[in-house]
Amino acid sequence: MDSISQAALGAAIGEAIVGKQAGRAGAVIGAILGTVPDLDVLLTPFFSRLQNISIHRGYSHSILFCIGAAFVFAYILSKLKWTKKVSYFKNWLFSFLALFTHVLLDACTTYGTQLFLPFSDDRVSFDIINIVDPVYTIPLLVGLLFALYFKFNTKHRKIANYLGLGISTAYLLFTFMHKQHIEKQMIAQINANNFQVEKFVSVPVKVGNINWYAAVRDKTHLHIGKYNTIINNEIDFHSFLINDDLLEDVDAHLANRMKWFANDIYVVAAQNDTLRFYNLQCDMQGVQQYRGQEVPTAFYYEIVNLEDGDYSLKA
């Protein structure tokens, strides 16, 4: 999710676990730890664009990293004046939870995380919440700010922080259950359209878990349509040729990594000597207009035909 949500979650965990001994410093340290996994973006200048799609939310978002890094940070915390009186185990638990809740929260979005590296690079994405959702973030922030307002070690301080954590977590659990309900409604409409389903995903967009997209892949087409949970509308599906044949001349590694990144929810289009790869798993904005034609979403990757006949992902 967004950096504000991740920092707020880390701060709330810091306040809950070491706030009694470290005071407000616990929340500050937690906010820092809660953003550590996203420091992988600092590596992007050193790699190609194709490599970067694997690096972001890669090793720094794996369970193994969270466990190992927690030992390092626990040692560092044991030397800081604010947390040196906290037990090593408690500092480890604090560090691990600040890191692990970050990667779990990211896994709730459509972008997904490679939780099981180095054993598997499967992208884990629960697709239950948009990457920015104030309905999740605001209770967390309000509870934390109220907690930090109260004096050190008061009962109200704990209550405020736990209340913020509780409300935001309850909303996250709601989105998980809500998705099950949404998919039942979508599947009924998909069956009514007689699609030959090879793959189906439901993706939340915007704020509050109200607007969703259904994406249905068959052998040749990708069908997408918007669903609003309040009006319970009939889904108007738009169909796009997947055009897998356009990738036949593209380097197999490049083509396979793009498909992997899109979780097989994609459309390929030709534009002169350039291919446009629309990744609808990570970018679901709905049908757009481009030069008088419908395209499945606004964002795309360009695969450029080089002079030697090879293809490259445009930087």
Side-chain angles (χ1 to χ4, degrees), residues 2-182:
D2 62 283
S3 297
I4 293 175
S5 299
Q6 298 288 14
L9 179 58
I13 289 170
E15 170 63 23
I17 297 178
V18 299
K20 183 177 181 180
Q21 294 157 293
R24 293 182 176 91
V28 174
I29 296 169
I32 295 170
L33 289 175
T35 58
V36 163
D38 280 343
L39 294 181
D40 57 6
V41 297
L42 299 178
L43 299 175
T44 57
F46 304 102
F47 296 92
S48 69
R49 191 169 189 185
L50 179 61
Q51 290 170 324
N52 279 327
I53 68 173
S54 303
I55 288 170
H56 183 47
R57 295 201 187 180
Y59 281 98
S60 68
H61 285 66
S62 67
I63 297 172
L64 193 63
F65 171 83
C66 295
I67 294 171
F71 285 104
V72 176
F73 287 121
Y75 174 78
I76 294 171
L77 292 177
S78 68
K79 304 298 180 182
L80 298 180
K81 66 177 182 178
W82 305 284
T83 48
K84 64 182 179 181
K85 293 183 179 179
V86 179
S87 70
Y88 181 85
F89 172 75
K90 204 170 187 180
N91 276 328
W92 182 90
L93 182 64
F94 165 35
S95 302
F96 173 75
L97 288 177
L99 296 168
F100 188 56
T101 54
H102 176 118
V103 303
L104 276 185
L105 195 56
D106 276 348
C108 290
T109 67
T110 59
Y111 196 98
T113 61
Q114 298 171 71
L115 281 178
F116 303 112
L117 282 174
F119 310 107
S120 169
D121 67 352
D122 287 347
R123 301 181 68 82
V124 179
S125 55
F126 301 122
D127 303 341
I128 60 174
I129 193 170
N130 193 29
I131 199 166
V132 177
D133 193 339
V135 180
Y136 172 82
T137 309
I138 288 175
L140 198 60
L141 278 173
V142 171
L144 178 65
L145 291 174
F146 267 101
L148 297 181
Y149 169 79
F150 291 114
K151 290 183 179 179
F152 187 61
N153 262 350
T154 63
K155 183 173 72 172
H156 295 95
R157 181 170 179 157
K158 281 187 177 181
I159 292 173
N161 188 51
Y162 281 126
L163 194 59
L165 271 169
I167 293 172
S168 62
T169 303
Y171 174 67
L172 206 59
L173 291 173
F174 159 76
T175 64
F176 181 80
M177 294 183 290
H178 192 220
K179 182 182 176 73
Q180 315 310 308
H181 169 72
I182 296 299

Side-chain angles (χ1 to χ4, degrees), residues 240 271 276 287-295:
F240 298 89
Q271 181 69 31
R276 291 186 167 194
V287 177
Q288 308 285 319
Q289 291 290 324
Y290 175 75
R291 295 184 178 179
Q293 292 186 327
E294 287 188 344
V295 294

Side-chain angles (χ1 to χ4, degrees), residues 4 13 21 38 57 77 139 183 196 205 241 245 257 260 283 301 311:
I4 293 175
I13 289 170
Q21 294 157 293
D38 280 343
R57 295 201 187 180
L77 292 177
E183 289 193 342
Q196 300 300 309
V205 292
L241 271 170
D245 58 297
R257 292 314 281 176
W260 165 84
D283 179 76
Y301 287 90
Y311 283 85

